Amino acid sequence: MTDAAASPSVRRLSEWDAAELRALRAEYGSPLYVLDLERVRENARRLGAAFPDAEILYAVKANALGDVLETLREEGIGLECASAGELERALAVTDSGVDVHYTAVNPPARDLDWVIDAWEEYPELTVTVGAEDTIDRLADRGYDGRLCLRVNPGIGAGHHEKVQTGANAKFGVPAERALEVLEDAAERGFDVVGIHAHVGSGVSSDQLDDHREFVSRMGDLAREVNEALPTDLEFVDVGGGFGVPYRDDEEPLDLEAVADATRDALGDVDATLTIEPGRYFVADAGVLLTTVNTVKDARDTTAVGIDAGMTTLLRPAMYDASHPIRNLTADVDAAAAASNSETPDNGRETIEQTITGPICESGDVFCTDRKLPASERGDVLAIGNAGAYGYEMANQYNSRPRPASVVVDGDEVRLARRRETIDDVTRLEHGARSASDDSSGDPTE
């Protein structure tokens, strides 16, 4: 068992073994996602140590790989799901609906139909709603089970405007109307068990004041609800959003300070504190391996083309996100030269490079003028902090197959997802000559 206090609070890309990563690329090809399950466990234990009295759920949307879900369930972590598909994955690794929450935003009818069927088999499942008419839609389907209300607290934070949810009208019932909605739900026979809100994704230490104010508002609301309803709330869910450093010069989140501030801001509430991080569990547990295809001198930079693109890792194009990048081939060559005293240092010159993908979009860029060892065709690069929202946001734009994924668990390495083929890209088309379409595995069919 790993001691959470002994493991580093963040795993930098430089700490991954370059030779081992290159060997994985040689065996499984590229692009290739690599996920270290032991690091996932370390992150889970660190969260457990910081929040010993809280219910901890994992936001499945960060990385829904079955190996991740099974690993976290073994660590006693619950699962928070944003879609019927994620819920189907979660229930596949649990014995009951306990510690499983369905927290959809504007759920499609077919999702609700599937969730109701699942609830009939797993009655301890908790459904979180973010709109009054979603309660009506549940009632119309005969649902009167465990209900949690998502609240819009009017305050947001996070690493990018597109992930600051706390004040966005899309998310939750306005806090000033929450009590009225909850009272009505209780009178209609729903089992009201909690309130929920999420301030945003990638919250950093310098946004702690916003997080504290948000939690304080949730504590005030919880006390008001407990006074008004016939039974007290079971839990107050303050979401996750705990940030991780994507740049080498960024300090890791002071998790203990966040935990202390959360408890203090929530105050004395007769309910369990619930948190639901996603990114924090898996971001630094994953890397993306890719191969250099092209190196060319452009007017103002050296353009380096790799076989991963915005279809493989969307975050840089979508959020202007910065990911660390390492030339594994250059590092291994330099290490080999240094270990042989008779061989002169053959370290490469460090130059500014723009790393680009193969997608026909000018936004398909991983970094601009980043100082790295001069790249050569065939080099293997590693892109760090790719464990969260990497494969989950991968897509088939330009009819490109999605990459493979492997998991590392101690000395064991196994293929978790095979690499897609072009047949996989086209097989759902009507009349396709490739494998026939079998929708039986779709939980919303």
Side-chain angles (χ1 to χ4, degrees):
M1 297 284 287
T2 302
D3 182 358
S7 65
S9 56
V10 61
R11 184 181 189 183
R12 305 288 186 178
L13 181 57
S14 59
E15 296 166 8
W16 291 76
D17 187 285
E20 291 179 2
L21 290 177
R22 283 187 65 190
L24 290 176
R25 183 268 174 201
E27 181 173 358
Y28 295 99
S30 80
L32 178 71
Y33 276 103
V34 179
L35 193 81
D36 185 348
L37 294 180
E38 185 56 33
R39 182 60 187 174
V40 175
R41 295 187 187 97
E42 291 174 359
N43 290 336
R45 292 166 191 167
R46 190 177 306 102
L47 279 163
F51 292 90
D53 299 321
E55 176 189 34
I56 304 177
L57 308 177
Y58 169 61
V60 174
K61 68 177 183 176
N63 190 320
L65 188 67
D67 292 275
V68 174
L69 305 188
E70 291 175 359
T71 297
L72 289 174
R73 288 302 293 155
E74 290 168 0
E75 294 294 320
I77 306 298
L79 302 173
E80 183 269 328
C81 310
S83 70
E86 289 181 4
L87 182 59
E88 199 255 0
R89 288 174 176 268
L91 294 177
V93 298
T94 59
D95 296 326
S96 71
V98 175
D99 300 330
V100 177
H101 291 204
Y102 171 68
T103 311
V105 179
N106 180 30
R110 60 195 299 181
D111 275 37
L112 284 185
D113 292 340
W114 192 91
V115 169
I116 296 304
D117 288 343
W119 164 67
E120 291 174 350
E121 183 176 355
Y122 299 94
E124 294 172 301
L125 171 70
T126 299
V127 175
T128 300
V129 299
E132 291 177 75
D133 64 359
T134 303
I135 299 177
D136 296 334
R137 296 168 69 199
L138 289 171
D140 291 343
R141 289 166 169 79
Y143 182 85
D144 60 0
R146 293 170 55 84
L147 187 79
C148 172
L149 182 68
R150 181 164 186 167
V151 176
N152 186 308
I155 184 171
H159 70 84
H160 191 278
E161 62 181 8
K162 292 181 180 179
V163 297
Q164 296 174 3
T165 59
N168 190 308
K170 177 178 179 177
F171 301 95
V173 172
E176 59 271 19
R177 299 198 58 249
L179 179 58
E180 173 190 345
V181 174
L182 287 168
E183 287 178 323
D184 178 67
E187 289 176 1
R188 297 170 66 178
F190 288 93
D191 182 13
V192 176
V193 294
I195 56 174
H196 167 283
H198 179 63
V199 72
S201 184
V203 177
S204 59
S205 295
D206 60 5
Q207 295 174 317
L208 194 55
D209 287 344
D210 290 335
H211 180 77
R212 185 184 292 109
E213 174 61 24
F214 146 68
V215 174
S216 177
R217 295 183 188 185
M218 292 295 289
D220 291 341
L221 177 60
R223 286 182 284 273
E224 186 179 2
V225 171
N226 279 348
E227 290 180 2
L229 295 188
T231 57
D232 287 344
L233 297 172
E234 288 185 18
F235 63 86
V236 178
D237 188 337
V238 298
F242 303 154
V244 298
Y246 282 82
R247 300 176 186 271
D248 289 338
D249 59 354
E250 291 177 342
E251 292 297 320
L253 182 70
D254 187 341
L255 191 61
E256 294 291 344
V258 172
D260 290 342
T262 300
R263 286 187 289 265
D264 291 345
L266 187 62
D268 185 15
V269 176
D270 189 14
T272 298
L273 170 67
T274 297
I275 60 172
E276 50 183 49
R279 181 191 316 272
Y280 193 90
F281 285 101
V282 292
D284 69 350
V287 297
L288 171 62
L289 304 183
T290 180
T291 304
V292 174
N293 295 322
T294 305
V295 179
K296 65 179 179 181
D297 292 329
R299 290 189 181 88
D300 301 316
T301 188
T302 296
V304 177
I306 58 177
D307 62 2
M310 59 187 284
T311 54
T312 319
L313 178 64
L314 183 59
R315 296 188 73 254
M318 187 168 183
Y319 302 125
D320 297 321
S322 176
H323 284 259
I325 299 176
R326 180 181 174 193
N327 190 316
L328 300 177
T329 303
D331 285 355
V332 170
D333 289 348
S339 66
N340 186 348
S341 59
E342 297 180 359
T343 304
D345 182 14
N346 67 344
R348 303 185 192 180
E349 178 186 5
T350 298
I351 63 172
E352 292 185 344
Q353 300 166 70
T354 297
I355 310 297
T356 71
I359 311 304
C360 190
E361 298 279 350
S362 58
D364 186 30
V365 175
F366 290 98
C367 69
T368 301
D369 294 335
R370 181 85 59 89
K371 289 186 176 180
L372 295 166
S375 295
E376 299 176 3
R377 187 153 46 89
D379 282 353
V380 180
L381 306 185
I383 301 176
N385 277 349
Y389 306 105
Y391 191 94
E392 290 306 307
M393 300 179 81
N395 58 84
Q396 296 175 338
Y397 179 51
N398 277 181
S399 292
R400 293 189 180 278
R402 286 176 292 189
S405 299
V406 298
V407 294
V408 178
D409 195 0
D411 294 331
E412 181 185 1
V413 179
R414 60 181 179 271
L415 183 67
R417 293 188 186 98
R418 68 168 176 82
R419 187 177 310 282
E420 287 184 340
T421 66
I422 292 179
D423 276 351
D424 291 318
V425 175
T426 61
R427 72 183 179 88
L428 298 182
E429 295 178 17
H430 180 69
R433 290 180 296 171
S434 54
S436 61
D437 176 15
D438 178 5
S439 60
S440 59
D442 183 351
T444 63
E445 287 289 346

